[in-house]
Amino acid sequence: MFHTIIFPVVYGLIIFLAGMKVMEAALGSWAGPLLSSFLQKATASPLKGMLFSTGITAVLQSSTAVTVLTMGLVNAGLLSFDRTLGIILGSNIGTCITTELIGLQIGQIALPLLGVSIVVWAAAVLFDEYGLFGKSGKAGRFKPIQLMALAAAGFAMVMLGIRVMQMIGPSLETSGLFGWFIAQSTHNLWWSLAAGAALTALMHSSAAVIGLAIVLAASGTLPVAVGIGIVLGANVGTCVTAVIAAVGSTKSGQFVAWTHVVLNVGGALLFMPFIPQLQLAVSWLSAESGAQIAHAQTLFNILCSLAALPLCYLPAWKKIRFHG
């Protein structure tokens, strides 16, 4: 069991999470100045804030990073609470880009992409250090290319981690514990929600948990309905990082964190009774099980954010002010 299930999962997750961090750091360095300069204008209304946050989260590949960054800006007094509502909604939509890419099952390009990315990064570093064709150049001229190459390498590591985790499919099918979990979840989908929330809280990565669900569904090991339940649970578990970040934060920062919790938990509870309908809707978009789970994640987050958007325009939010 260790060699066929535990080791591939742990090894694959290490590669996956390392790739996510490399991608997040590289894209964060590239987009950070852009984020700061456009923030006030981009959050003038909840709709603008949601659209802006969707884009920046898709670039940073981390809704948690955007949420924690937003809390920091509120703590520093650079952003009022009412301007954060659209950012929180948009961050949930933007993070779906990762799972949609995973759902495409393009893992076979992982190693070639990683190799090309490393070569491009190394070439950009050399050109930046010694100049093009040995001629001295302006320092930092090739920095954007270095960051984009690192981001591509991080994405390749994410795909590679998924491929490693795919190895557990046949062994899981014969595992008594996993078979028990599937049986329980098939009769009561709340088991799948609890599993998704717990795993995401432990790993601090909803993308990793949803990616694993996509892999298992694509191999025929995990029923799509159970996978969708795990997706809803992952959206609950991802709130844990924001709650941890709220410890020692100002009252306004804590309010941002708990607003994030209420929106995600409320959305998951609202959709739980409608998993069969959600499964039917995504089956029209794709016949492939893994892609259906990725589409369910996207559809769920878009519908939840659009449903909550009108509430962000309530005048009461502008009156909320915190001291300390």
Side-chain angles (χ1 to χ4, degrees):
M1 182 176 176
F2 176 81
H3 294 290
T4 56
I5 296 180
I6 297 176
F7 180 74
V9 168
V10 173
Y11 183 49
L13 279 174
I14 289 172
I15 297 173
F16 183 101
L17 294 173
M20 288 290 291
K21 288 301 178 183
V22 169
M23 189 164 52
E24 180 182 326
L27 291 174
S29 298
W30 175 70
L34 187 70
L35 177 63
S36 301
S37 61
F38 286 104
L39 192 60
Q40 291 295 331
K41 185 183 294 185
T43 58
S45 71
L47 178 60
K48 286 183 178 180
M50 186 179 78
L51 295 175
F52 172 75
S53 178
T54 297
I56 204 68
T57 305
V59 169
L60 295 178
Q61 293 293 296
S62 175
S63 61
T64 300
V66 173
T67 302
V68 172
L69 178 61
T70 302
M71 289 170 60
L73 293 169
V74 171
N75 290 338
L78 299 176
L79 204 62
S80 59
F81 170 73
D82 59 289
R83 286 176 176 258
T84 68
L85 297 172
I87 294 176
I88 293 170
L89 297 180
S91 67
N92 286 334
I93 298 176
T95 195
C96 297
I97 299 295
T98 304
T99 48
E100 286 290 349
L101 290 172
I102 294 171
L104 292 176
Q105 296 290 306
I106 54 176
Q108 61 268 22
I109 70 166
L111 282 175
L113 178 60
L114 182 60
V116 170
S117 300
I118 292 173
V119 169
V120 172
W121 172 79
V125 169
L126 290 173
F127 288 154
D128 221 18
E129 184 71 23
Y130 301 107
L132 194 60
F133 303 116
K135 298 178 182 178
S136 59
K138 186 178 179 182
R141 184 178 179 184
F142 292 92
K143 190 71 173 179
I145 297 176
Q146 294 175 32
L147 294 174
M148 295 308 293
L150 283 176
F155 177 69
M157 290 172 66
V158 168
M159 294 296 105
L160 188 60
I162 289 292
R163 290 203 75 182
V164 173
M165 288 188 285
Q166 282 178 327
M167 296 163 57
I168 71 173
S171 299
L172 272 183
E173 288 182 10
T174 59
S175 170
L177 181 60
F178 187 78
W180 175 85
F181 166 73
I182 294 297
Q184 296 297 318
S185 298
T186 302
H187 290 100
N188 188 345
L189 288 172
W190 289 97
W191 280 91
S192 59
L193 181 137
L199 287 172
T200 303
L202 287 171
M203 292 192 288
H204 295 280
S205 174
S206 59
V209 174
I210 296 170
L212 182 58
I214 290 172
V215 166
L216 295 177
S219 66
T221 308
L222 188 73
V224 173
V226 176
I228 294 175
I230 291 174
V231 164
L232 300 186
N235 280 272
V236 174
T238 196
C239 299
V240 169
T241 308
V243 172
I244 293 173
V247 176
S249 178
T250 63
K251 290 182 180 179
S252 53
Q254 291 171 6
F255 206 74
V256 171
W258 287 108
T259 301
H260 180 60
V261 172
V262 170
L263 288 171
N264 281 29
V265 173
L269 295 177
L270 183 66
F271 267 79
M272 274 300 293
F274 301 104
I275 285 181
Q277 289 77 13
L278 188 57
Q279 181 181 354
L280 178 62
V282 296
S283 68
W284 295 337
L285 300 175
S286 175
E288 202 277 310
S289 298
Q292 287 179 12
I293 292 178
H295 296 335
Q297 156 83 343
T298 302
L299 192 58
F300 162 72
N301 280 319
I302 290 175
L303 290 176
C304 282
S305 295
L306 291 178
L309 183 62
L311 299 176
C312 299
Y313 284 89
L314 293 175
W317 300 121
K318 293 184 179 294
K319 298 178 182 178
I320 295 178
R321 293 291 183 271
F322 298 96
H323 302 283

